[in-house]
Amino acid sequence: MRALYFIFLFFAFGDITAQTVSGLVLEKDSGLPLPFANVFVNNTTQGIATDAEGKFSISGDFPSQIELVASFVGYVTEVKMISFEGKSEVKVTFELSFNESNLTEIELKAKRDKSWERNLKTFEEVFLALPDDPYKSQIEILNPWVIDFEKVKVKNGKNYLKASAQEPIHILNDALGYDITYYLEDFRVLRDGSRFYGQVFYEAMESNSLATSSRWKEARQANYYGSLKHLNQSILLNTPDSSDFALFKTKPAPIDGFRSNDFLQELNKTIIPIRKDSILRRPLGDGTFRIFLQGKLEVHHLKKEWTNDYYTTIYHPISWVQAPEGFYDVDRNGVLLNPTQLVLSGYLGRRRVARALPLDFVPTTDFEIEELIADEVIMSRSSQLNRLREKVWLTLSKPYFYPGETAWIGGQMLYQDAFLADSLSRVVHVDLITEDSGIIQSATFPIQQGKISGALVLPKEMKPGDYVIRAYTHWNRNFLMDDQFLAPFVVMEEGYIPEMEKEALEVFSDAIVVKADYTLSDSLNYRVMDLQLDFLDEFENPIDGKFVLSITDADQVVEMNQGIRLEHAIEWLDEGLPETFQSSLSHPVEYGISLKGKFTPENKRQGLIQPITIVRGDLEDYGQVMTDSSGYFWATGLSFQDTAQIAVAAMNEKLRPFGSVELESLGKPELGVALPKLTYRKVAISSKDYFLDTSGDYILLEEFVKEETRERETMAERNYGYGEPTQEVGPKELEKLTMGEIAGLLRLNLSTLKFGNYNFGENVGAPLLILDGSPRPFMEKGELLDFLTNSIEPSQLLSIKVYSDNISKAVFGMAGYAGVIMIETKKGFRIKPEIETKFNSEGFQFFTVPGFTAFPEFPKAPSSDRYLTKKPTIYWDPLAEITDGVFKVKIKVPYGIDRFRIKVEGWSLDGELIDQVIQIEK
């Protein structure tokens, strides 16, 4: 989200001399004075309370114009623009109206619910501090109950979330040492941005601790050096270009639309260095200045450290400043007079109330900026770890099962920081656990774009009773035990159904509304249901998203409150780690089936640090990893079902195996918490007419596909089934560019054969080469480099595509761990004859390794001429998708089903919750 926050700071400095503003604060209706009303200069620390007669007087070195604010509890705040115009004193009278809409504290607190809490979290991230800002834990709203939220629908415009406050928002900022009173006038969050403004009074906090006072002082200085005010002062005073900032004028990307993340490559092409004195600035005659800014200005904050998140070789913050009108106005101290004149993004766009300073703050001249601690990026260890957390959420095709049935599983990964999702787990482990914590069944399923699909086939001899289903990733074993997914799993005795007290389902006012429409038509052996689900937001706008969909026979399947609704699961997102939490992160991320093992050399001269070669089958997949100083190794990214023969060996320079290896089990995490259990009664089924969910013959489910006429795509056009590439170079570039220039466009370093920051810090082999759809396995870096630079002529190629993101690790297995280069040649063009590579397994050790668990997909193709028997689960789709607000499906339904229960759980593309149960009758 591009953060555009507007804090109106009408504070125009002219010739600064001692000024006094005085006057009265009265009640409008009666004309009586209001004692103890608050009067302050907006966005400063200068304020006072009225005396018993409603009088006030504030003196100080004011600018020529100020915003003066008067407020009193229960009355409407009033703001006046005060102009001194050379006067030494100005008198003003405020008349405050009673706030008719003011609610009591009890009434305000009563309005809190789950929807309000989610909106408050959004509000705090936009208003106070970004989630990754270490100041976030040091700033707090003391009276959040005064804030109310509503969704505003704009006709032919952008809908937005609006916040309002019945009373001033009281904020304690322990990061900078200010007690803040904020009179919110406007706050809105749109889909592509946000803004807020109001009147602010700062009161400097006092502390008896010298360490705390020093911390506040240093934090204030640090935030001044790097603020927009400091940048504007630097431009006005034309400070030396090398001191604090480096400025660049940005140019549009080339016609091909590609702009690399290599700073040196873009320098003097798309970013042109400029001097501060080249920026035109003119005095306006009233103590203010106009700065002219054409296009977008890129600002490098040279005296601060920052994580590498834009350029591959730059480690300081970067901001972008744009003036839509071509200019913006500031006072002599660099204060922006009208924030709507600027659009800020990057580092400057991150600043919120947590980092805002009063306008009368003056930095000390003896402060050495070189000594500043980069507080923006030094987060507590627990805060850093918290961003890396993930949790599995699962839902089941039914609330309970019988022995011999198939329990289909769907789910979604939850991430504390969604931006890191592509770098986290691609494998989920599922266990079925007994009441005494014994594991009776385990399965492993892939995670695809955050979604999970699987099934457990329950043995016919399984003992009915209460079990627990657990799900976790290898990575989240590094964190709290609460990060495991645990839910009751009930196995009923045949002839019985569970019965429990019904609980009222909570209705969420801002949840997505799902409307069902269907028709039923008869055929000889079944009925056909044409089902359409419409997904609408609170404004009845269609939304897109992904969800898990189950349809059951409402007469056969009894609902149970298992406590696994997605609405409850996402409460985990609000649970941070304790400040004292530590983890060595000893359980690595799994990008596929993983191997953990240890190498033992034949003698001490060989050393423990060696490359380990891993091969599945006859080079169906392969890879190479390094051992650590103790001989241990970790390999991940293999992709296969059931079991496979894996060959493992350390290879010397002559490619001969030596030493020995042994594989270790990944083990299971401890439970460590009380297992959840449902309270219910077993009730005999009155009718013998009940059926089981077995994975044999089943009803047919077909997704509705709109018919369209088009030519069939070739394998090459579909990228040989591997999906969209990360980067691509087409025939136009290939005709005119050298291989070195092409490598730059693809972010491929020809010396290291690495793609930008992909696999940063990892010792990996060469990328996988795929030529006209055929993989060329086991190429060494030198061999691949020789092929790219000497064996192919770019003008004779149709395309070069690369896969260099973490998703590739799951798609291509270990062979693509270092990335993939896919080359398609022109028709008839011949490259050197392919060399058949045959795996020589001599000297390798072989291990039988379990892969992803094979499971029966939900049956979709019974014979159309066969009578369909009744089943409890009519439809199951854990990977359903909404397009233009609509999901359609055709279902072949057995005769005899009169009531259907439709359960929908998932997310919209905007991150809004979808959680609804619909019951329909024939």
Side-chain angles (χ1 to χ4, degrees):
M1 176 184 291
R2 183 181 63 179
L4 310 178
Y5 68 96
F6 303 120
I7 307 177
F8 281 69
L9 318 171
F10 296 99
F11 201 80
F13 282 88
D15 294 330
I16 296 180
T17 56
Q19 311 282 5
T20 299
V21 57
S22 60
L24 286 170
V25 178
L26 308 174
E27 185 183 59
K28 186 174 183 179
D29 293 335
S30 65
L32 296 175
L34 282 175
F36 310 112
N38 296 311
V39 182
F40 63 91
V41 179
N42 187 25
N43 268 288
T44 72
T45 59
Q46 300 181 73
I48 197 171
T50 57
D51 62 16
E53 298 177 350
K55 297 179 181 180
F56 69 90
S57 179
I58 305 174
S59 298
D61 292 333
F62 296 135
S64 59
Q65 285 188 326
I66 61 172
E67 269 190 344
L68 195 64
V69 184
S71 71
F72 193 78
V73 176
Y75 290 78
V76 178
T77 300
E78 189 174 355
V79 183
K80 289 182 179 290
M81 183 67 73
I82 306 300
S83 178
F84 288 99
E85 295 294 339
K87 303 174 185 177
S88 60
E89 184 175 357
V90 173
K91 293 186 178 295
V92 62
T93 299
F94 289 97
E95 294 181 312
L96 304 187
S97 302
F98 183 73
N99 188 353
E100 300 288 348
S101 62
N102 201 42
L103 301 177
T104 68
E105 180 176 323
I106 295 176
E107 290 173 317
L108 290 167
K109 286 184 176 180
K111 297 171 68 175
R112 289 195 278 185
D113 55 15
K114 293 293 183 184
S115 171
W116 181 89
E117 290 176 359
R118 287 198 302 272
N119 288 331
L120 179 64
K121 182 178 180 181
T122 299
F123 177 85
E124 290 178 336
E125 291 178 356
V126 172
F127 182 71
L128 293 182
L130 290 173
D132 62 345
D133 192 328
Y135 281 14
K136 189 174 188 299
S137 62
Q138 301 178 63
I139 187 168
E140 178 186 7
I141 297 176
L142 300 181
N143 58 341
W145 56 84
V146 305
I147 307 170
D148 197 15
F149 302 98
E150 64 176 311
K151 297 289 182 70
V152 178
K153 184 176 182 180
V154 180
K155 188 176 182 180
N156 300 323
K158 295 181 178 180
N159 303 328
Y160 59 91
L161 172 69
K162 179 182 179 180
S164 58
Q166 293 286 343
E167 298 177 10
I169 301 174
H170 188 189
I171 304 163
L172 198 66
N173 187 353
D174 187 48
L176 299 180
Y178 288 112
D179 192 322
I180 302 171
T181 305
Y182 201 105
Y183 298 80
L184 185 68
E185 283 203 19
D186 188 28
F187 176 98
R188 59 189 66 187
V189 177
L190 296 86
R191 294 188 186 275
D192 58 352
S194 59
R195 77 178 191 186
F196 63 84
Y197 68 89
Q199 290 76 43
V200 194
F201 177 63
Y202 293 86
E203 185 175 359
M205 296 165 58
E206 296 183 358
S207 174
N208 295 326
S209 168
L210 179 60
T212 300
S213 299
S214 299
R215 173 171 61 85
W216 288 341
K217 179 180 178 181
E218 291 182 2
R220 293 170 188 172
Q221 299 280 8
N223 278 275
Y224 171 79
Y225 290 104
S227 64
L228 178 64
K229 179 180 177 181
H230 180 215
L231 172 64
N232 289 334
Q233 283 185 327
S234 181
I235 293 174
L236 289 178
L237 301 174
N238 192 26
T239 56
D241 286 322
S242 61
S243 62
D244 302 317
F245 305 99
L247 306 181
F248 302 86
K249 180 180 179 181
T250 64
K251 296 178 63 176
I255 298 177
D256 60 13
F258 180 82
R259 189 182 191 276
S260 76
N261 289 59
D262 189 323
F263 175 75
L264 296 178
Q265 183 173 320
E266 297 302 318
L267 190 61
N268 295 315
K269 294 179 181 178
T270 60
I271 47 175
I272 312 300
I274 62 173
R275 296 175 57 86
K276 294 187 183 73
D277 57 11
S278 69
I279 299 176
L280 181 62
R281 52 215 183 277
R282 292 179 179 172
L284 298 180
D286 58 354
T288 63
F289 297 82
R290 176 159 293 175
I291 298 176
F292 293 86
L293 201 61
Q294 298 299 321
K296 184 181 289 187
L297 183 69
E298 183 170 300
V299 182
H300 290 219
H301 303 258
L302 301 178
K303 293 294 181 68
K304 288 182 176 288
E305 295 181 0
W306 197 254
T307 53
N308 188 334
D309 60 355
Y310 189 77
Y311 291 115
T312 57
T313 54
I314 298 297
Y315 294 92
H316 50 245
I318 299 173
S319 301
W320 290 270
V321 180
Q322 192 168 9
E325 299 178 10
F327 64 86
Y328 63 98
D329 299 332
V330 299
D331 66 23
R332 63 187 297 171
N333 282 343
V335 176
L336 180 64
L337 301 181
N338 184 355
T340 62
Q341 292 181 325
L342 280 186
V343 175
L344 305 177
S345 55
Y347 176 74
L348 287 175
R350 293 173 52 87
R351 302 175 74 87
R352 304 292 191 268
V353 171
R355 295 186 175 274
L357 292 165
L359 298 184
D360 52 346
F361 172 78
V362 179
T364 57
T365 56
D366 60 345
F367 191 77
E368 294 293 334
I369 190 171
E370 288 82 357
E371 298 177 1
L372 290 179
I373 298 175
D375 60 320
E376 289 91 345
V377 295
I378 299 179
M379 303 172 65
S380 68
R381 177 62 174 168
S382 63
S383 298
Q384 292 174 336
L385 292 173
N386 190 65
R387 295 184 60 207
L388 301 174
R389 291 168 69 203
E390 61 185 7
K391 184 172 183 175
V392 183
W393 168 77
L394 296 183
T395 189
L396 303 169
S397 53
K398 292 195 309 181
Y400 58 93
F401 299 91
Y402 295 96
E405 283 196 307
T406 298
W408 281 282
I409 298 170
Q412 171 77 47
M413 293 300 297
L414 306 178
Y415 302 101
Q416 286 288 342
D417 188 339
F419 292 104
L420 299 178
D422 287 346
S423 301
L424 297 179
S425 299
R426 293 286 183 274
V427 180
V428 60
H429 301 273
V430 178
D431 296 324
L432 205 54
I433 301 173
T434 63
E435 289 184 283
D436 58 359
S437 301
I439 298 176
I440 63 168
Q441 194 170 352
S442 293
T444 302
F445 304 114
I447 300 170
Q448 299 174 328
Q449 296 182 334
K451 302 288 287 183
I452 300 162
S453 176
L456 295 175
V457 179
L458 306 181
K460 292 182 179 180
E461 64 277 8
M462 186 174 187
K463 182 181 177 181
D466 293 314
Y467 297 84
V468 168
I469 185 170
R470 173 176 72 173
Y472 64 92
T473 65
H474 191 68
W475 175 251
N476 73 11
R477 294 175 64 180
N478 293 303
F479 302 96
L480 302 175
M481 290 184 179
D482 287 343
D483 288 3
Q484 300 177 33
F485 171 86
L486 294 172
F489 188 95
V490 177
V491 179
M492 292 299 301
E493 180 182 350
E494 288 192 32
Y496 292 87
I497 59 173
E499 185 180 88
M500 61 188 306
E501 292 186 10
K502 292 185 178 179
E503 297 183 13
L505 293 178
E506 188 176 358
V507 177
F508 303 98
S509 59
D510 66 339
I512 300 297
V513 176
V514 185
K515 296 181 179 179
D517 187 23
Y518 73 100
T519 60
L520 277 171
S521 56
D522 293 341
S523 67
L524 182 61
N525 297 318
Y526 47 78
R527 311 188 80 187
V528 178
M529 173 186 281
D530 280 284
L531 176 66
Q532 176 172 321
L533 299 177
D534 294 297
F535 294 78
L536 306 172
D537 64 13
E538 63 274 19
F539 307 113
E540 297 191 352
N541 296 322
I543 61 98
D544 290 351
K546 298 180 180 181
F547 63 102
V548 179
L549 176 60
S550 67
I551 304 177
T552 54
D553 182 344
D555 290 321
Q556 285 202 53
V557 180
V558 178
E559 274 297 300
M560 298 179 68
N561 184 5
Q562 296 168 286
I564 60 173
R565 289 178 58 191
L566 184 55
E567 172 63 32
H568 299 144
I570 63 175
E571 294 177 0
W572 172 82
L573 298 174
D574 300 323
E575 300 170 1
L577 291 171
E579 285 295 325
T580 56
F581 181 82
Q582 294 292 330
S583 175
S584 60
L585 302 179
S586 57
H587 300 285
V589 172
E590 287 188 287
Y591 294 109
I593 301 301
S594 306
L595 303 180
K596 177 183 178 183
K598 184 177 182 180
F599 163 72
T600 302
E602 296 170 351
N603 53 64
K604 294 182 179 180
R605 291 177 300 174
Q606 292 174 335
L608 288 170
I609 302 177
Q610 298 291 344
I612 302 295
T613 299
I614 298 166
V615 179
R616 178 171 69 89
D618 190 10
L619 288 178
E620 283 89 0
D621 200 354
Y622 62 90
Q624 193 174 76
V625 296
M626 295 296 296
T627 61
D628 61 19
S629 59
S630 299
Y632 288 96
F633 63 88
W634 168 266
T636 188
L638 293 166
S639 182
F640 57 91
Q641 283 194 336
D642 292 328
T643 59
Q645 285 292 107
I646 306 295
V648 185
M651 305 280 284
N652 60 23
E653 295 178 355
K654 297 181 179 180
L655 301 182
R656 293 177 181 173
F658 69 100
S660 63
V661 294
E662 56 181 317
L663 297 187
E664 299 181 1
S665 170
L666 300 186
K668 295 281 186 182
E670 296 180 2
L671 283 166
V673 294
L675 297 180
K677 185 177 180 179
L678 293 177
T679 301
Y680 62 91
R681 295 182 300 147
K682 289 198 306 181
V683 179
I685 300 175
S686 57
S687 170
K688 293 183 180 180
D689 185 25
Y690 72 95
F691 304 88
L692 300 181
D693 275 331
T694 56
S695 55
D697 182 30
Y698 225 75
I699 61 176
L700 174 66
L701 296 165
E702 300 171 337
E703 279 197 34
F704 179 84
V705 180
K706 184 177 179 180
E707 294 184 2
E708 56 182 349
T709 303
R710 64 172 183 165
E711 296 180 3
R712 181 175 294 179
E713 289 182 319
T714 65
M715 286 295 291
E717 289 172 328
R718 290 191 286 115
N719 297 322
Y720 302 96
Y722 293 121
E724 293 299 315
T726 311
Q727 304 285 355
E728 179 178 358
V729 175
K732 291 183 179 180
E733 294 80 13
L734 292 169
E735 290 283 351
K736 60 184 180 181
L737 298 180
T738 66
M739 196 62 209
E741 293 171 323
I742 294 168
L745 292 177
L746 298 174
R747 299 188 63 196
L748 175 64
N749 186 321
L750 285 178
S751 62
T752 63
L753 287 181
K754 284 191 175 185
F755 297 101
N757 287 335
Y758 183 61
N759 290 322
F760 178 76
E762 294 184 274
N763 187 1
V764 295
L768 171 65
L769 174 66
I770 299 178
L771 183 62
D772 288 332
S774 300
R776 291 198 168 191
F778 249 7
M779 295 185 76
E780 297 289 339
K781 286 188 176 182
E783 183 183 1
L784 178 59
L785 180 61
D786 179 69
F787 178 85
L788 294 175
T789 55
N790 299 320
S791 299
I792 59 173
E793 171 55 44
S795 63
Q796 299 300 312
L797 306 180
L798 282 178
S799 68
I800 302 180
K801 303 171 184 177
V802 302
Y803 295 79
S804 58
D805 56 22
N806 286 305
I807 297 175
S808 305
K809 296 178 180 179
V811 173
F812 294 94
M814 285 195 68
Y817 195 91
V820 177
I821 302 173
M822 183 184 292
I823 297 176
E824 185 183 359
T825 65
K826 290 183 178 178
K827 186 177 181 180
F829 178 67
R830 301 286 181 186
I831 296 180
K832 291 179 180 179
E834 293 191 21
I835 301 173
E836 293 187 6
T837 303
K838 184 173 178 61
F839 172 47
N840 180 5
S841 61
E842 183 179 352
F844 278 75
Q845 293 175 247
F846 287 86
F847 301 89
T848 300
V849 177
F852 290 118
T853 303
F855 63 92
E857 297 285 348
F858 191 86
K860 294 185 177 181
S863 175
S864 296
D865 59 359
R866 184 173 179 179
Y867 185 80
L868 296 182
T869 58
K870 290 177 67 176
K871 300 280 183 166
T873 304
I874 300 169
Y875 178 45
W876 171 254
D877 186 353
L879 305 174
E881 296 192 13
I882 313 161
T883 303
D884 297 327
V886 175
F887 176 85
K888 293 183 179 181
V889 68
K890 282 184 182 290
I891 308 173
K892 289 184 178 180
V893 182
Y895 280 103
I897 297 179
D898 298 321
R899 296 193 305 138
F900 305 87
R901 185 178 291 111
I902 302 172
K903 189 176 182 181
V904 176
E905 297 174 283
W907 303 90
S908 73
L909 293 187
D910 295 317
E912 296 172 283
L913 185 70
I914 304 172
D915 188 351
Q916 192 165 334
V917 177
I918 305 169
Q919 189 159 298
I920 60 176
E921 297 189 11
K922 185 176 67 174

